[in-house]
Amino acid sequence: MTKARLLRLSVVLVSIFMILLIIVYWDNVGTAHFYLHTSFSRPHSPGGIPGITAGEDWEALPDVDEFLAKLLSSSMKQNSSIPRKTEQLVVQGSSKPVVSNLEENVRGYDWSTHNDRNSLDQEKLQIERQRTLREFCANSSFTFPTKERSFDDIPNYELNHLIVDDRHGVIYCYVPKVACTNWKRVMIVLSESLLDQGVPYRNPLDIPREHVHNTSTHLTFNKFWRRYGKFSRHLMKIKLKKYTKFLFVRDPFVRLISAFRSKFELENEEFYRRFAIPMLKLYSNHTNLPTSVSEAFGAGLKVSFSDFIQYLLDPRTEKMVPFNEHWRQIYRLCHPCQIDYDFIGKLETLDEDAAYLLQLLKVDRLLRFPPSYRNRTASSWEDNWFAKIPLAWRQQLYKLYEADFVLFGYPKPENLLKD
């Protein structure tokens, strides 16, 4: 009898100790930014988002994930009346972005609407894009670096392009030079992560450009480790399973041209010092270069497109420092064979894709995607830009970006790869 009482008492004490331990842990790391959409469900359109399976439940999750889900769901119910703690960046006296004439000419902004364009059958388009991606990810004969690794094999620092909005259950992988500035603005409005004089932004275009790219503005997957500790990967998997995940892509060669134009044809001090000076020294045999970009431009010292291509193909480049995000391959930024994206948008159909996505997310009444960021770097320019690039270099460059062409359904630029 005494042994039975001692056993029951031990079980009770251990249970109390574990509960206290969990409470202390979560009190320390906080549950900020974990306000899940309708208790771990993600938004669905009336017709459903292609690629999302209806009736998903927690039985398929590992035990630890299920435990965390139930624990946090319970925690949210208990704290529903408590104001949420968020890391918000407060901006005073902000104004709408101002684009200089030079930037207008190079970046190619077009703030007009394009309502006269023919609408696309978006649902079928999404099914086709996802089918193409999944088929090539599953095709063992098509290989590229990192394809075979699992999500757990991806280092935290490579997850810094996955932006999370817990308020609406959305994950966005941003790709530079694919309208990412405006999509980041949309994510800021949805997550209310940026305040203007104490009030969250409601209009994406009101958010100043310099704050859009401030890393403290966004909750990204690579920040999970310091917030959730050893549970971070489990929480990532829960969100990847239940949230709506999207990205926008672009013809890889056109994206390279756009990156070159914005980073090396405009006076950019950071890119001049980090990239232009080494390129000019290595590939144009310049010495004693000016220390500032304005002096260099004044002296007519600019990186050529040929210099840029040589830099990309040079095997020393990756050894010195990984590709900058503006020309890093999309598969390295967003891991499409490890993450099952629910929506794949393209810059070439930006207006239609953006409107359809916001409708599917059920946020189209909260905001609209900013008037088209219509970069004038078009696919028709490829012949002119690559005309002076040797055929062998073009073929090497295609191999370097082949995975992006194939995974996202862009045709092989045969005209650039043959004599």
Side-chain angles (χ1 to χ4, degrees):
M1 191 69 176
T2 303
K3 289 184 178 180
R5 287 181 179 177
L6 287 174
L7 181 61
R8 286 197 295 270
L9 180 61
S10 299
V11 171
V12 171
L13 289 175
V14 170
S15 300
I16 292 173
F17 175 78
M18 291 300 296
I19 292 171
L20 288 174
L21 186 63
I22 292 171
I23 291 173
V24 169
Y25 176 79
W26 285 105
D27 186 59
N28 286 335
V29 302
T31 55
H33 290 288
F34 210 92
Y35 306 97
L36 300 182
H37 186 81
T38 61
S39 186
F40 290 88
S41 67
R42 61 183 168 194
H44 294 263
S45 68
I49 299 178
I52 298 178
T53 304
E56 289 180 328
D57 55 40
W58 290 102
E59 294 178 1
L61 290 175
D63 292 341
V64 174
D65 292 348
E66 183 176 4
F67 166 75
L68 288 173
K70 290 179 179 178
L71 173 66
L72 290 172
S73 295
S74 174
S75 174
M76 285 188 295
K77 289 177 182 177
Q78 293 174 6
N79 297 315
S80 60
S81 62
I82 301 175
R84 21 185 212 102
K85 279 172 56 181
T86 56
E87 294 177 2
Q88 292 173 316
L89 181 63
V90 179
V91 181
Q92 298 293 336
S94 64
S95 59
K96 291 186 179 181
V98 177
V99 182
S100 67
N101 289 334
L102 178 59
E103 187 176 14
E104 168 76 24
N105 290 332
V106 174
R107 294 187 186 277
Y109 287 91
D110 176 5
W111 299 107
S112 62
T113 57
H114 298 267
N115 295 327
D116 58 335
R117 309 185 82 195
N118 294 328
S119 61
L120 303 175
D121 189 336
Q122 284 288 337
E123 186 172 354
K124 290 182 179 178
L125 196 60
Q126 283 303 311
I127 291 173
E128 177 62 24
R129 290 174 182 175
Q130 292 179 38
R131 183 191 63 79
T132 298
L133 177 59
R134 289 166 184 163
E135 282 185 0
F136 282 106
C137 284
N139 187 341
S140 59
S141 63
F142 178 67
T143 61
F144 56 88
T146 74
K147 178 189 176 184
E148 301 302 327
R149 67 180 178 179
S150 69
F151 178 75
D152 287 329
D153 294 329
I154 304 173
N156 282 337
Y157 67 85
E158 290 188 22
L159 298 172
N160 62 333
H161 280 243
L162 292 161
I163 297 176
V164 183
D165 166 32
D166 286 314
R167 299 183 72 249
H168 298 88
V170 180
I171 297 174
Y172 163 52
C173 184
Y174 73 89
V175 179
K177 309 312 302 173
V178 190
C180 77
T181 299
N182 279 340
W183 276 117
K184 283 183 177 181
R185 285 185 170 122
V186 168
M187 294 298 286
I188 289 171
V189 171
L190 292 178
S191 63
E192 298 185 356
S193 60
L194 189 63
L195 305 180
D196 181 17
Q197 300 187 16
V199 179
Y201 281 95
R202 293 288 177 254
N203 182 359
L205 280 180
D206 286 343
I207 305 173
R209 187 182 184 89
E210 62 269 21
H211 297 299
V212 172
H213 298 294
N214 188 326
T215 57
S216 65
T217 307
H218 306 280
L219 173 64
T220 55
F221 264 13
N222 68 318
K223 294 180 181 179
F224 272 42
W225 180 254
R226 67 172 179 264
R227 178 166 296 168
Y228 301 119
K230 64 182 180 180
F231 292 126
S232 60
R233 285 284 165 158
H234 295 296
L235 297 179
M236 289 179 196
K237 290 177 182 177
I238 290 174
K239 297 191 182 200
L240 286 172
K241 181 177 179 63
K242 291 297 176 181
Y243 284 14
T244 301
K245 306 165 293 295
F246 77 94
L247 79 163
F248 272 74
V249 298
R250 183 179 195 177
D251 180 288
F253 277 6
V254 179
R255 178 171 168 250
L256 284 182
I257 297 170
S258 179
F260 173 80
R261 296 176 70 206
S262 68
K263 299 307 174 186
F264 300 109
E265 288 191 344
L266 294 174
E267 292 189 9
N268 187 307
E269 199 69 51
E270 177 190 0
F271 277 76
Y272 173 73
R273 293 181 178 179
R274 289 183 59 194
F275 303 106
I277 288 178
M279 289 183 202
L280 290 168
K281 288 180 177 179
L282 285 170
Y283 313 118
S284 294
N285 298 317
H286 287 294
T287 57
N288 301 319
L289 290 164
T291 57
S292 72
V293 67
S294 58
E295 291 179 80
F297 275 38
L301 295 172
K302 293 184 178 182
V303 168
S304 69
F305 190 58
S306 176
D307 293 336
F308 180 55
I309 299 303
Q310 287 185 80
Y311 171 80
L312 296 176
L313 298 177
D314 193 331
R316 295 171 293 181
T317 298
E318 283 281 6
K319 293 179 181 178
M320 291 187 291
V321 62
F323 274 14
N324 179 269
E325 62 178 11
H326 291 84
W327 46 83
R328 191 178 305 168
Q329 296 92 330
I330 297 173
Y331 76 84
R332 295 173 62 189
L333 295 172
C334 295
H335 320 289
C337 288
Q338 290 77 29
I339 296 174
D340 189 16
Y341 285 95
D342 304 300
F343 189 95
I344 302 167
K346 292 190 174 184
L347 190 71
E348 293 82 2
T349 52
L350 176 61
D351 293 337
E352 297 87 352
D353 291 356
Y356 183 61
L357 176 59
L358 294 180
Q359 179 185 357
L360 291 176
L361 296 175
K362 297 184 179 180
V363 297
D364 51 317
R365 293 187 178 182
L366 296 177
L367 79 170
R368 57 171 293 186
F369 189 75
S372 281
Y373 174 88
R374 187 72 55 183
N375 194 299
R376 296 189 185 116
T377 306
S379 57
S380 59
W381 289 25
E382 286 183 338
D383 289 343
N384 291 333
W385 278 89
F386 285 96
K388 295 182 180 180
I389 304 300
L391 175 62
W393 292 10
R394 285 179 254 157
Q395 293 170 340
Q396 291 178 53
L397 192 68
Y398 176 76
K399 293 301 295 183
L400 196 60
Y401 289 89
E402 182 179 24
D404 284 353
F405 276 98
V406 173
L407 293 174
F408 301 111
Y410 286 101
K412 187 175 181 179
E414 298 286 0
N415 59 313
L416 298 179
L417 305 178
K418 296 180 181 178
D419 284 323

